[in-house]
Amino acid sequence: MATSTPADTDLATEVWRLITDLLMERKEQFPALAAGLGLNPGALHALMSLDESEARSMSALAGDWKCDASNVTWLVDRLEEGGYARRRMHPTDRRVRTVVLTPKGAKARSQVEAKLHEPPESIRRLDREDLETLRQVLSKLHA
Amino acid sequence: MATSTPADTDLATEVWRLITDLLMERKEQFPALAAGLGLNPGALHALMSLDESEARSMSALAGDWKCDASNVTWLVDRLEEGGYARRRMHPTDRRVRTVVLTPKGAKARSQVEAKLHEPPESIRRLDREDLETLRQVLSKLHA
DNA sequence: TATTGTTATACTCTATAACTATA
DNA sequence: TATAGTTATAGAGTATAACAATA
């Protein structure tokens, strides 16, 4: 119907973000997005919590991901196979392996984040006044 | 802060329902609710799509649940073990088995639905005016 | 001969336990 | 002796293929 101005699109994005933040998780398109990267949902979830600059040890990742250390080995193997992450040596403790995203992994992560924040058609169709109203009221939920 | 009147609680329920309907799925408390019934998430999802009165064939359920027929056998076995559903003969075609919820299964289903529609604390804290506003704007998303 | 549902079997993802190498 | 990570192994949940009963 009505076309969106850039300002409306930004608003729609923000409103959608407020709603999804409220829900904490929007595991929905997630399996499909994972499959698109040749990953299972668990491995994509892992990818989303990694960083290009900050190296995390395997044991720290077991804590982050609330899973067994042996499963961290398996998940990081999947990410390395896909070229999304790589293991590094720890500078001082030779027992420890750290994990960082590759450039490809960082790009995949930001693209998936963009998809997850993309408002659905029904939200984008709202006019500016409605979106402003939603933003105002939903902002109160942050308290 | 402000205490809720019954009217506010109904409004909060409705607003929360509008948001979750928009998202289609809110797999979040779901694994915990399933575990509480001695089921896995897949089996609870199956239970939620069954009815006490309407009998569905195994092959129809494979379509509904988007899974293989052999997995329907497995899931219905789990539901029968828990006393939530039972197989019946088809009145005319002796190859076909149909599945219906038991009274226990119907009760479990409505209790889980109630839990899923329960608004979170942050929504319940909104005052009546904000909830009315949300309801009004979010209703437009149904179009 | 085709279809319904089950059984036999295999694959994915996860965990527990045993192991290797460091510390 | 304790810790980090891996490998060996087992279990849950899913699929594919072979099968028995019925149409």
Side-chain angles (χ1 to χ4, degrees):
Chain A
M1 305 276 172
T3 54
S4 291
T5 69
D8 284 346
T9 300
D10 285 350
L11 261 181
T13 300
E14 187 172 358
V15 166
W16 179 241
R17 193 180 60 71
L18 287 166
I19 292 175
T20 52
D21 281 357
L22 170 70
L23 294 169
M24 272 130 72
E25 274 190 330
R26 25 51 198 138
K27 311 175 183 175
E28 182 185 318
Q29 340 161 40
F30 214 77
L33 289 170
L37 296 170
L39 298 172
N40 65 22
L44 179 54
H45 194 252
L47 188 156
M48 300 302 286
S49 79
L50 288 171
D51 200 274
E52 204 172 1
S53 50
E54 189 199 354
R56 311 271 296 137
S57 72
M58 302 292 278
S59 59
L61 291 174
D64 290 352
W65 302 344
K66 299 185 204 316
C67 71
D68 190 79
S70 65
N71 197 34
V72 174
T73 295
W74 190 84
L75 288 167
V76 173
D77 283 348
R78 298 293 79 71
L79 293 180
E80 283 200 324
E81 277 177 14
Y84 298 113
R86 67 172 185 279
R87 286 168 168 88
R88 282 178 170 169
M89 295 296 182
H90 188 277
T92 60
D93 190 334
R94 296 181 57 195
R95 294 173 304 179
V96 176
R97 299 302 182 96
T98 60
V99 183
V100 288
L101 290 185
T102 61
K104 177 181 175 183
K107 187 178 172 185
R109 177 187 152 173
S110 63
Q111 285 173 344
V112 169
E113 271 170 356
K115 278 280 183 197
L116 292 174
H117 290 149
E118 204 170 272
E121 176 62 21
S122 60
I123 291 277
R124 290 202 303 272
R125 272 207 308 259
L126 291 175
D127 62 30
R128 185 192 184 94
E129 186 183 356
D130 284 338
L131 291 170
E132 290 275 16
T133 302
L134 277 182
R135 179 174 63 172
Q136 190 220 324
V137 177
L138 293 175
S139 292
K140 299 184 182 182
L141 299 175
H142 279 292
Chain B
M1 308 270 175
T3 54
S4 290
T5 67
D8 284 348
T9 300
D10 285 351
L11 262 181
T13 300
E14 187 172 357
V15 166
W16 179 242
R17 192 180 60 70
L18 287 166
I19 292 175
T20 52
D21 281 358
L22 172 67
L23 295 168
M24 271 131 76
E25 271 189 332
R26 24 56 197 134
K27 310 174 186 174
E28 187 184 316
Q29 340 161 39
F30 213 78
L33 289 170
L37 296 170
L39 298 173
N40 64 21
L44 179 54
H45 193 252
L47 189 156
M48 300 302 287
S49 80
L50 288 171
D51 200 274
E52 203 172 3
S53 49
E54 189 198 354
R56 311 271 296 136
S57 72
M58 302 292 277
S59 59
L61 291 174
D64 290 353
W65 302 345
K66 299 184 205 315
C67 71
D68 190 80
S70 64
N71 196 33
V72 173
T73 296
W74 189 84
L75 288 167
V76 173
D77 283 349
R78 299 292 80 71
L79 293 180
E80 282 198 326
E81 276 177 15
Y84 298 113
R86 67 172 186 282
R87 286 169 169 87
R88 281 178 169 169
M89 296 295 183
H90 189 278
T92 59
D93 189 334
R94 295 181 59 194
R95 293 173 305 178
V96 175
R97 298 301 181 98
T98 61
V99 184
V100 287
L101 290 184
T102 60
K104 177 182 175 182
K107 188 178 172 186
R109 177 187 152 170
S110 61
Q111 284 173 345
V112 169
E113 271 171 356
K115 279 279 183 197
L116 292 175
H117 289 149
E118 208 168 87
E121 177 61 20
S122 61
I123 290 278
R124 290 202 303 271
R125 272 207 308 260
L126 290 175
D127 63 28
R128 187 194 182 93
E129 187 183 354
D130 284 338
L131 292 170
E132 291 275 16
T133 302
L134 278 183
R135 180 175 61 172
Q136 190 221 325
V137 177
L138 293 176
S139 292
K140 300 183 182 181
L141 299 176
H142 279 293

PDB file of all heavy atoms in Angstrom, chain A residues 74 82-83:
ATOM      1  N   TRP A  74      33.063 -30.559  19.226  1.00  0.00           N
ATOM      2  CA  TRP A  74      32.281 -30.923  18.045  1.00  0.00           C
ATOM      3  C   TRP A  74      31.770 -29.682  17.314  1.00  0.00           C
ATOM      4  O   TRP A  74      31.894 -29.574  16.082  1.00  0.00           O
ATOM      5  CB  TRP A  74      31.115 -31.821  18.472  1.00  0.00           C
ATOM      6  CG  TRP A  74      30.375 -32.458  17.338  1.00  0.00           C
ATOM      7  CD1 TRP A  74      30.704 -33.605  16.672  1.00  0.00           C
ATOM      8  CD2 TRP A  74      29.167 -31.972  16.732  1.00  0.00           C
ATOM      9  NE1 TRP A  74      29.769 -33.857  15.699  1.00  0.00           N
ATOM     10  CE2 TRP A  74      28.820 -32.881  15.713  1.00  0.00           C
ATOM     11  CE3 TRP A  74      28.362 -30.871  16.969  1.00  0.00           C
ATOM     12  CZ2 TRP A  74      27.699 -32.719  14.911  1.00  0.00           C
ATOM     13  CZ3 TRP A  74      27.241 -30.693  16.176  1.00  0.00           C
ATOM     14  CH2 TRP A  74      26.906 -31.612  15.152  1.00  0.00           C
ATOM     15  N   GLY A  82      33.340 -25.145   8.146  1.00  0.00           N
ATOM     16  CA  GLY A  82      32.665 -24.156   7.313  1.00  0.00           C
ATOM     17  C   GLY A  82      33.495 -22.911   7.075  1.00  0.00           C
ATOM     18  O   GLY A  82      33.072 -22.010   6.351  1.00  0.00           O
ATOM     19  N   GLY A  83      34.653 -22.838   7.711  1.00  0.00           N
ATOM     20  CA  GLY A  83      35.506 -21.671   7.554  1.00  0.00           C
ATOM     21  C   GLY A  83      35.037 -20.457   8.345  1.00  0.00           C
ATOM     22  O   GLY A  83      35.469 -19.335   8.074  1.00  0.00           O
TER      23      GLY A  83
END
